[in-house]
Amino acid sequence: MSLRVYNTLTREKSDFSPIEEGKVRMYVCGPTVYDSAHVGHAMSAMVFDVVRRYLIYLGYDVHYVMNFTDVDDKIIDRAKRLGVDPIELAEKYIEEYKKNLEDLNILPPTEHPRATNEIDAIIKMVERLIDKGAAYEVDGDVYFRVEKAKDYGKLSGRKLEEMNAGSRIRVDIRKENPMDFAVWKAAKKGEPAWDSPWGPGRPGWHIECSAMNLQHLGDQIDIHGGGNDLIFPHHENEIAQSEAITGKPFARYWMHNGMLQLKGEKMSKSTGNLIPINEFLEDHSGDVMRLMVISSHYRSPLTFNDEVIEANERALERLLSAIKPAMEGASGAPAEITQKLEEQVEITRKGFHDSMDEDFNTAGALGYLFDLARMINQARSEGATAKELVNAQDLFKELTGVLGLKLETSEKAASSADAFIDLLLDLRQELRAKKEYQLSDRIRDELAEMNVIIEDTPQGSTWHWE
RNA sequence: GGCGACGUAGCCAAGUUGGUAAGGCAAGGGUCUGCAAAACCCCGAUCACGGGUUCGAGUCCCGUCGUCGCCUCCA
């Protein structure tokens, strides 16, 4: 079997084959940095992180570009309201976003370009569009001429004549067609601006992505990703611009993730219906977020609420249980068990691969990992030795790693409290030996209230943070 | 109004070209334990509804109801 990918452009799955053998050029739309990113952004970034990790797992050399939109109306508005410099405001949220990605165990992009660093390339592109008759200048603004793009609407399945542009926004009478969109905007007073043949101004939203693609990945790319709310108009316009310039098909595969649903609605910055990544990470690990994301298909909406978060906290504990070491003094599990475990290793490897090959079916792949976890735990409780568990556990770690899970056993680093807790455990051990259970239980209960969980095993007691 | 997606057990959710429903969480029962915890074992759905095609449909077609996304900035 080989990898199949759903392509928004064709609305069907097809076999994946990159332009250049063994290499994948991939571009994912990053955030507009005017505020803290929320868990919906995290979802999108994670979805494509998993895509990237799986492609690497398959042996591809992946060139991964994620941009920052660091100049646009919202950033300018926000900065004006706060009385700060828009470029500095953007810079602040760029740094924060990079930290978010790190905390969420998202691999750093190969390149992380930002619009303001690409101004020269953008201006050249706009000039080329004008030269080709694909764009026109009006009073310092430059608009893309949609009627010139013969197959405009092919990505979103719209037809120009069917779109009732201007039904909700006032039509700019200077435009030739209401659907024409700005590729260059004349600057108003006090706004960040760059000199151009059309006077001081700044790039339109869509052109920067086209420019960064051309600059960093070339005329044609393999995968272009983003949230499905970007299909129209953003990606539609990117296609129109890029293809107007190169005359070649822009991206081979358009991948779009579903929206994260909070309270039954799309999580969105503009409506304030959101949970910032920072806030989420105060109470939960990045792995919990990731588990939620990979528990369902990337194209489906993601149900996000407290109940689901809690369920995934517990599910994560189950995954963690699989990589616990063999019991101390284990003398070996029955042959029947160890053989079953080895068989499960092969079932898991194949099942994982087949699932992921089918348009990155992470939820299906995860199912196999839970099956393997159960088999590992079963073997361990039957007395399997570390050696008997090693193949299964190695595969388990490898494949959870492909999904981007860290599975760190100790969420909190060693703290100064450790020695005291160890002391209390020793004390409790002595009390239990004397069968003074009232006191020993009190130690356990009160430590539990401080989020220290004690587990008794035949080899003694252990503890961990809740 | 237009375009698109979806509706699977209490909740989340998978289901490749149609052949008789993964997995997780919760609940319940059990093993282990001084009691717990963890782990392990057992336990649940005919797939929104109504038609149709087929030997056979969750999986294809039509209709109905419902939810969501896009059509305006948005991952």
Side-chain angles (χ1 to χ4, degrees):
Chain A
M1 240 179 112
S2 61
L3 178 61
R4 285 157 52 80
V5 177
Y6 181 88
N7 189 347
T8 307
L9 194 58
T10 58
R11 299 181 191 283
E12 61 184 18
K13 290 183 201 171
S14 55
D15 288 336
F16 179 77
S17 73
I19 295 162
E20 193 178 340
E21 178 87 30
K23 284 193 174 179
V24 176
R25 286 179 255 264
M26 187 167 174
Y27 183 93
V28 175
C29 284
T32 300
V33 282
Y34 70 96
D35 200 352
S36 295
H38 57 67
V39 290
H41 297 107
M43 174 201 180
S44 187
M46 273 182 171
V47 161
F48 293 105
D49 183 57
V50 171
V51 168
R52 177 188 187 184
R53 286 173 186 266
Y54 187 63
L55 290 170
I56 292 171
Y57 171 78
L58 291 180
Y60 288 106
D61 177 14
V62 182
H63 191 111
Y64 188 97
V65 177
M66 179 191 267
N67 73 298
F68 284 117
T69 298
D70 62 348
V71 57
D72 90 330
D73 293 346
K74 274 178 304 200
I75 296 173
I76 292 167
D77 288 350
R78 179 106 179 184
K80 206 177 283 175
R81 214 176 317 140
L82 296 174
V84 299
D85 178 66
I87 303 291
E88 280 171 30
L89 182 79
E91 181 64 32
K92 175 188 160 191
Y93 289 116
I94 285 174
E95 288 313 310
E96 185 179 278
Y97 191 74
K98 284 182 176 172
K99 178 73 166 52
N100 287 156
L101 295 183
E102 190 184 332
D103 291 343
L104 294 169
N105 198 31
I106 290 165
L107 296 171
T110 317
E111 290 179 85
H112 226 154
R114 50 182 90 178
T116 54
N117 285 346
E118 312 281 331
I119 301 293
D120 288 348
I122 291 169
I123 289 174
K124 285 203 183 79
M125 273 190 79
V126 175
E127 284 179 318
R128 285 173 74 186
L129 285 172
I130 292 175
D131 287 347
K132 286 173 181 275
Y136 55 95
E137 188 246 330
V138 185
D139 303 334
D141 289 335
V142 180
Y143 293 100
F144 186 87
R145 189 173 269 138
V146 288
E147 277 167 31
K148 195 78 167 122
K150 56 197 179 307
D151 46 9
Y152 187 76
K154 65 181 172 185
L155 181 69
S156 55
R158 293 157 208 268
K159 293 192 172 75
L160 266 181
E161 54 272 24
E162 282 172 5
M163 286 190 275
N164 49 345
S167 62
R168 298 198 205 183
I169 49 169
R170 190 177 304 163
V171 175
D172 186 336
I173 52 165
R174 299 174 309 158
K175 292 186 190 177
E176 292 177 5
N177 182 305
M179 294 309 296
D180 288 350
F181 55 90
V183 291
W184 186 262
K185 293 183 171 185
K188 298 192 189 94
K189 229 185 232 167
E191 290 181 351
W194 289 262
D195 286 331
S196 79
W198 319 281
R202 60 192 155 89
W205 177 35
H206 316 296
I207 194 77
E208 52 161 271
C209 280
S210 293
M212 287 185 244
N213 265 291
L214 289 172
Q215 282 291 303
H216 298 278
L217 291 169
D219 287 359
Q220 294 179 289
I221 67 173
D222 296 301
I223 296 175
H224 192 124
N228 69 14
D229 54 349
L230 296 180
I231 295 173
F232 188 90
H234 186 53
H235 289 164
E236 194 71 71
N237 292 350
E238 259 188 73
I239 292 177
Q241 294 161 347
S242 300
E243 299 189 351
I245 284 177
T246 65
K248 293 181 235 174
F250 178 32
R252 281 204 167 186
Y253 304 91
W254 285 89
M255 296 181 65
H256 293 97
N257 62 279
M259 293 293 102
L260 185 147
Q261 301 290 124
L262 181 67
K263 297 178 200 153
E265 281 178 22
K266 183 176 83 160
M267 180 168 287
S268 167
K269 274 198 267 199
S270 48
T271 61
N273 182 39
L274 56 78
I275 298 174
I277 295 172
N278 290 334
E279 198 175 295
F280 180 85
L281 289 176
E282 281 173 20
D283 301 317
H284 312 282
S285 67
D287 269 359
V288 170
M289 178 73 214
R290 189 169 290 256
L291 200 49
M292 285 195 280
V293 170
I294 62 181
S295 288
S296 73
H297 192 86
Y298 75 88
R299 277 188 281 122
S300 305
L302 181 68
T303 307
F304 195 92
N305 57 46
D306 290 343
E307 193 180 354
V308 173
I309 295 172
E310 180 57 29
N312 280 286
E313 290 273 13
R314 302 300 312 279
L316 181 61
E317 283 177 34
R318 162 160 288 271
L319 291 178
L320 282 165
S321 73
I323 55 175
K324 287 182 178 168
M327 290 193 295
E328 263 181 63
S331 56
E336 181 195 342
I337 297 286
T338 53
Q339 196 187 332
K340 247 176 83 182
L341 184 61
E342 289 306 319
E343 284 168 14
Q344 193 66 35
V345 166
E346 291 317 309
I347 292 171
T348 304
R349 194 189 302 279
K350 184 175 189 311
F352 180 91
H353 202 102
D354 287 350
S355 295
M356 292 298 281
D357 268 354
E358 198 58 39
D359 194 30
F360 308 96
N361 182 357
T362 51
L366 200 55
Y368 286 97
L369 291 174
F370 277 109
D371 285 339
L372 182 61
R374 195 187 325 110
M375 288 298 302
I376 291 171
N377 289 335
Q378 188 183 13
R380 185 194 302 102
S381 60
E382 293 281 347
T385 60
K387 201 177 168 190
E388 287 169 340
L389 294 178
V390 71
N391 278 343
Q393 288 186 321
D394 280 354
L395 181 74
F396 188 82
K397 287 181 204 161
E398 181 190 350
L399 298 184
T400 49
V402 172
L403 297 176
L405 290 163
K406 287 170 97 167
L407 297 189
E408 283 178 334
T409 36
S410 52
E411 292 289 329
K412 294 190 183 179
S415 80
S416 52
D418 291 9
F420 297 100
I421 295 166
D422 288 340
L423 179 67
L424 283 168
L425 250 67
D426 285 347
L427 206 60
R428 174 168 172 275
Q429 215 35 57
E430 284 180 32
L431 291 168
R432 290 180 71 215
K434 292 184 206 159
K435 296 195 192 294
E436 293 189 30
Y437 294 124
Q438 271 205 337
L439 263 181
S440 69
D441 285 356
R442 196 179 139 197
I443 292 175
R444 183 175 64 198
D445 294 344
E446 295 196 3
L447 279 176
E449 279 185 26
M450 293 182 272
N451 294 328
V452 175
I453 306 303
I454 292 178
E455 287 177 21
D456 296 331
T457 73
Q459 291 79 40
S461 303
T462 62
W463 67 271
H464 62 87
W465 293 101
E466 188 171 14

